[in-house]
């Protein structure tokens, strides 16, 4: 996962990118960067770390162009290193180019292997670099024509932003796996992963960039191009389950309201459940628990204090760090827990390690019974389109198969998963165009 942001025609382009990337920080916490163009020359600054650690007023002042693109990174392809931080910068026959990418290009290894055989030298081990090499080999007369020609060669998930001295370009893959929205602020056009990043700078949301569509902003004007027909609209359903910010809008309603609705459906599916309180694993679990509480009339009581400075438990790509931050992150609120029968809601069970730890921690704090409710179906297949999931063998639903074995492993007294039908209903409100391969194993792209 990653977050991307781009803005045209604005004196404050780097500062606004900074604010937007800060708002997209939940999408990636390993590295961040901004590239901007001034007087026909690109400048960029990328580094490891959080957005507010990387940028300061003097760095932002050095990025003083009128158009900019930015990126926050959470590695799913390529290692977590500064070489792989984005925007990536290249100088090719079309001049200087900066690229920001969210998604996973599934045929990148194959493309890069073929290019390397013909002498290509790569500066990163990301999948994102493949497209620039393809573009630089095109016979087209300018960069953007070359990009439109070469994009169909990529397979998998990509929402791209490209910046050169002339224009800002956005492109979304023909399946629309990863989000990409268009917004407007005065005379500036904005492209970004989530609506929250446009709204924070006072921009008005226009629409999503469609699957297989590209938009180019040049001399203050926007033009739209179709480089591929829409294959099968397959927006990632896990965005609403876990990744996206609650105030972002997907399928016409906020992520928060989708989660609230899921909480209601969970209760419907668990009719007859009895408990003293319902609670969510912060932060994403809270909206689910509020919906469940409204439907069941079981009081919603927070049982964990989340340390907001500890980061997302899973976001560190290395297992040791993951365990460490999970402990740091959630502290039980003992009085709320002692002697209680608790419906506990989390968005997902992946390896099962988070639930195992938090249920142990609730039991240690004196909980009488834990009814674990998972706001999504069992994850049975890894994601190849940009969500960081482990190998199939590591997934608890694959490893242990039976629900009762999973329940025992995590130490819950009861376990319930949301049905896929209700997940789609709550997220799409009638729109069923989702990729749900992690739940049903049906991959839209091989
Ligand atoms: P696990 O502990 O492996 O079962 O993972 C499930 C927990 O990690 C849940 O609490 C989720 O909120 C969180 N989570 C699920 N998917 C991801 C992901 N791709 N990246 C980071 N965190 C995740």
């Amino acid at each position: 996962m990653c977050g991307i942001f781009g803005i045209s025609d604005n004196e404050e382009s780097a500062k606004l990118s900074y604010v937007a990337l800060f708002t997209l920080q939940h999408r990636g916490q390993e590295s961040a960067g901004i590239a901007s163009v001034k007087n026909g020359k690109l400048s960029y600054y990328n580094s490891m770390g959080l957005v507010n650690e990387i940028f300061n007023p003097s760095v932002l002042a050095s990025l003083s162009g009128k158009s900019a693109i930015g990126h926050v990174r959470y590695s799913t392809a390529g290692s977590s290193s500064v070489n792989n931080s984005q925007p990536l910068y290249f100088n090719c026959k079309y001049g200087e180019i900066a690229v920001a990418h969210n998604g996973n290009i599934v045929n990148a290894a194959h493309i890069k292997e073929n290019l390397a055989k013909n002498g290509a030298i790569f500066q990163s081990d990301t999948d994102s670099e493949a497209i620039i090499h393809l573009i630089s080999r095109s016979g087209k007369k300018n960069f953007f024509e070359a990009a439109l020609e070469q994009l169909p060669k990529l397979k998998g998930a990509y929402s791209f932003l490209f910046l050169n001295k002339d224009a800002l370009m956005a492109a979304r893959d023909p399946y629309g796996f990863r989000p990409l929205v268009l917004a407007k602020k005065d005379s500036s056009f904005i492209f970004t992963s989530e609506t929250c990043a446009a709204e924070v700078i006072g921009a008005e949301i226009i629409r999503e960039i469609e699957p297989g569509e590209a938009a180019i902003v040049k001399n203050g004007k926007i033009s739209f191009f179709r480089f591929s027909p829409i294959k099968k609209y397959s927006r990632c359903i896990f965005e609403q389950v876990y990744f996206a910010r609650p105030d972002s809008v997907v399928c016409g309603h906020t992520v928060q309201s989708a989660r609230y609705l899921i909480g209601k459906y969970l209760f419907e599916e668990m009719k007859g459940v009895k408990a003293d309180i319902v609670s969510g694993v912060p932060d994403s679990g809270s909206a689910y628990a509020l919906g469940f509480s409204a439907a069941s009339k079981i009081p919603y009581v927070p049982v964990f204090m989340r340390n907001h400075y500890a980061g997302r438990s899973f976001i560190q790509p290395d297992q040791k760090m993951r365990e460490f931050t999970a402990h740091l992150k959630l502290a039980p609120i003992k009085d709320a827990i002692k002697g209680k029968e608790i419906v506990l809601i989390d968005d997902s069970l992946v390896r099962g390690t988070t639930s195992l730890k938090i249920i142990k921690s609730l039991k240690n704090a004196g909980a009488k019974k834990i009814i674990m409710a998972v706001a999504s179906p069992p994850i049975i297949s890894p994601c190849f389109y940009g969500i960081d999931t482990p190998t199939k063998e590591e997934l608890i639903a694959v490893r242990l198969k039976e629900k009762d074995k999973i329940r025992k492993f995590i130490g819950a007294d009861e376990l319930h998963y949301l049905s896929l039908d209700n997940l789609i209903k709550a997220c799409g409100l009638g729109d069923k165009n989702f990729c749900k391969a992690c739940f049903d194993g049906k991959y839209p792209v091989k």
Side-chain angles (χ1 to χ4, degrees), residues 237 261-262 265-266 268-269 375-378 417-432 434 436 439-440 442:
I237 203 161
L261 206 51
I262 286 171
Y265 289 151
L266 260 176
E268 275 175 23
E269 292 183 6
S376 55
Y417 284 101
L418 182 77
S419 67
L420 187 54
D421 281 353
N422 273 339
L423 178 65
I424 294 167
K425 224 160 94 185
C427 291
L429 295 182
D431 184 334
K432 295 184 180 164
F434 290 107
K436 40 194 171 21
F439 301 125
D440 65 9
K442 292 180 188 152

Side-chain angles (χ1 to χ4, degrees), residues 1 26 74 76 238 241-243 281-285 288 312-316 319 322 326 329-330 345-358 372 374 379 383 386-390 394-396 409-410:
M1 290 305 301
H26 60 285
Y74 167 21
T76 50
F238 208 70
V241 169
Y242 170 76
F243 227 83
V281 180
D283 286 325
S284 57
Y288 297 114
R312 283 191 158 186
S313 65
F314 207 96
I315 213 120
Q316 320 279 352
Q319 179 71 22
R322 246 188 323 253
K329 197 173 96 169
L330 295 173
I345 310 187
D346 200 2
D347 56 78
S348 56
L349 275 184
V350 185
R351 295 178 177 87
T353 45
T354 307
S355 296
L356 173 73
K357 278 188 203 121
I358 58 177
M372 185 75 203
V374 185
I379 297 181
C383 178
I387 297 275
D388 178 31
T389 41
E394 289 172 273
L395 295 167
I396 191 167
F409 174 84
I410 62 174

